[in-house]
């Protein structure tokens, strides 16, 4: 069944100090034509992923803007989430088993979630493939209402054909399809409206606000990390697309020259990602007992404040993804004035200007080379960090993303 996620209230005016008065005024202007509308957002988990982080902020702000907004998550069994993880991987290009049993399990679970649907919404935004078939099921039952948009947070261009062929008829029913980048749109996908909306970060959240030195020191001490030594940090799920084993390989190459280097890898184990623990175990095995490699998760009490402390304390931030829809952690690190070494893929390329606000890399050896160079050059780290923060301020803060969404909804 669809479960409502409670969200604490937020004030749009709280964004003025960080995002600027002009950005907030633009946000209010974009919301005005939709005042009084009812909006429902649906995804697959209330915590542990970038979509949940985005919704936690945006639902509260939309309500403050006068748009009655709810956030609900679908319920699923372990089998369902194993299947949707396989679907996620397939839509990013992996070849996966795709059987009639998997298809029927997926549809049965989505149908179960749709059984208690109430249709009193002006707009519905469905996030990613997990709940994508809800619209088709409601149309078959004659209970569809309002305008619907499908928000795809992944790159579909190399999707595994059998899985995409299954999803295409569901996606085609939506009034709009929203992607991070125009280049992520599946060739041949036809909609009345296709919109590109890059994600954003909330500069006022506990994960992105400025922390005092004592707080940062306490967090690092709690987890045994030495702040006096250089720290390379990657924050992302333990997932093959985030290349955690390659990150450790890059660290080992860099450590041959930077002998006191430490590597911290932080992940949130999400309820819709049953593959996460498997990849955590593989990464732990690859760590091979190295005392300077720290694998931390929310299961050890690492939350938003702790992630923020590690990002602010890091020497260099790494996001060595092999495929990436966007990677909010890139903008998070850039906002903290840290140089980010990112995989030269997907939405990371949208955020980092190579050589200006960070580096884009294509291999383990290149990642290691950039690590060594940045650790050795504090002036370059400072220059890049300042450029990185300004780039996020201009392009990747919450007001800009919400304006994009509001304009899309108004157009429907």
């Amino acid at each position: 069944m669809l479960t409502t996620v409670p969200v604490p209230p937020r004030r749009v005016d709280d964004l003025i100090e960080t995002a600027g008065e002009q950005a907030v005024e633009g946000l209010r202007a974009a919301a005005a034509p939709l005042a009084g509308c009812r909006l429902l957002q649906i995804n697959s988990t209330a915590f542990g992923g970038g979509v949940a982080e985005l919704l936690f902020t945006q639902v509260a702000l939309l309500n403050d803007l006068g748009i009655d907004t709810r956030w609900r998550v679908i319920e699923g069994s372990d089998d369902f989430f194993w299947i949707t993880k396989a679907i996620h991987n397939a839509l990013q290009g992996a070849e996966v088993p795709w059987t009639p049993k998997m298809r029927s399990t997926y549809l049965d679970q989505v149908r179960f979630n749709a059984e208690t649907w109430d249709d009193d919404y002006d707009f519905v935004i469905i996030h990613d493939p997990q709940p994508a078939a809800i619209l088709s099921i409601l149309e078959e039952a004659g209970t569809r209402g309002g305008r619907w948009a499908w928000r795809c947070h992944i790159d579909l261009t190399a999707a595994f054909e059998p899985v995409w062929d299954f999803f295409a008829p569901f996606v085609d029913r939506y009034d709009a399809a929203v992607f991070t980048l125009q280049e992520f749109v599946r060739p041949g996908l036809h909609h009345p409206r296709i919109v590109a909306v890059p994600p954003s970060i909330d500069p006022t959240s506990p994960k992105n606000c400025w922390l005092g030195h004592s707080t940062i020191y306490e967090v690092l001490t709690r987890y045994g990390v030495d702040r006096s030594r250089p720290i390379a940090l990657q924050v992302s799920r333990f997932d093959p697309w985030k290349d955690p084993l390659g990150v450790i390989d890059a660290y080992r190459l860099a450590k041959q020259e930077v002998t006191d280097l430490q590597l911290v890898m932080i992940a949130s184990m999400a309820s819709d990602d049953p593959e996460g623990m498997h990849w955590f175990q593989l990464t732990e095995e690859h760590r091979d007992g190295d005392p300077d490699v720290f694998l931390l998760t929310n299961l050890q009490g690492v939350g938003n404040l702790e992630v923020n402390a590690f990002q602010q304390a890091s020497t260099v931030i790494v996001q060595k993804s092999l495929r990436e829809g966007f990677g909010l952690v890139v903008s998070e690190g850039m906002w903290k004035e840290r140089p980010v070494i990112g995989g030269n893929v997907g939405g990371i390329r949208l955020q980092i200007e190579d050589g200006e606000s960070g580096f884009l890399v294509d291999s383990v050896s290149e990642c290691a080379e950039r690590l060594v160079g940045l650790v050795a050059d504090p002036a370059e780290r400072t220059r890049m960090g300042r450029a990185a923060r300004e780039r996020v301020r201009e392009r990747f803060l919450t007001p800009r993303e919400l304006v994009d969404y509001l304009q899309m909804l108004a157009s429907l």
Side-chain angles (χ1 to χ4, degrees), residues 16 19-29 399 403:
I16 292 175
E21 189 168 349
Q22 184 176 356
V24 172
E25 288 177 357
L27 178 53
R28 289 194 181 281
V403 167

Side-chain angles (χ1 to χ4, degrees), residues 75-203:
E75 181 180 316
S77 63
D78 289 343
D79 284 347
F80 175 75
F81 284 124
W82 273 109
I83 290 166
T84 58
K85 183 64 178 183
I87 290 168
H88 178 92
N89 289 335
L91 294 180
Q92 290 203 128
E95 294 189 11
V96 302
W98 188 237
T99 65
K101 175 65 173 174
M102 294 171 74
R103 295 192 288 271
S104 64
T105 299
Y106 169 82
L107 288 173
D108 287 347
Q109 188 65 42
V110 176
R111 189 171 288 108
F112 171 77
N113 278 276
E115 285 177 351
T116 57
W117 179 261
D118 61 75
D119 63 351
D120 190 21
Y121 296 97
D122 299 290
F123 301 101
V124 181
I125 300 177
I126 300 291
H127 293 265
D128 281 330
Q130 295 93 332
I134 281 182
L135 177 57
S136 297
I137 291 168
L138 294 177
E139 286 186 337
E140 290 170 4
T143 55
R144 168 185 167 144
R147 298 292 185 177
W148 289 61
W150 185 57
R151 175 53 167 111
C152 181
H153 294 270
I154 55 182
D155 179 353
L156 292 182
T157 51
F160 182 47
E161 291 290 347
V163 175
W164 173 246
D165 288 345
F166 173 77
F167 271 92
F170 303 137
V171 173
D172 283 342
R173 293 175 181 259
Y174 285 80
D175 301 297
V178 184
F179 293 84
T180 297
L181 293 169
Q182 195 70 34
E183 66 192 62
F184 285 3
V185 178
R186 177 72 179 174
L189 181 65
H190 298 291
H191 270 281
R193 187 168 300 274
I194 295 177
V195 184
V197 179
S200 63
I201 64 168
D202 175 3

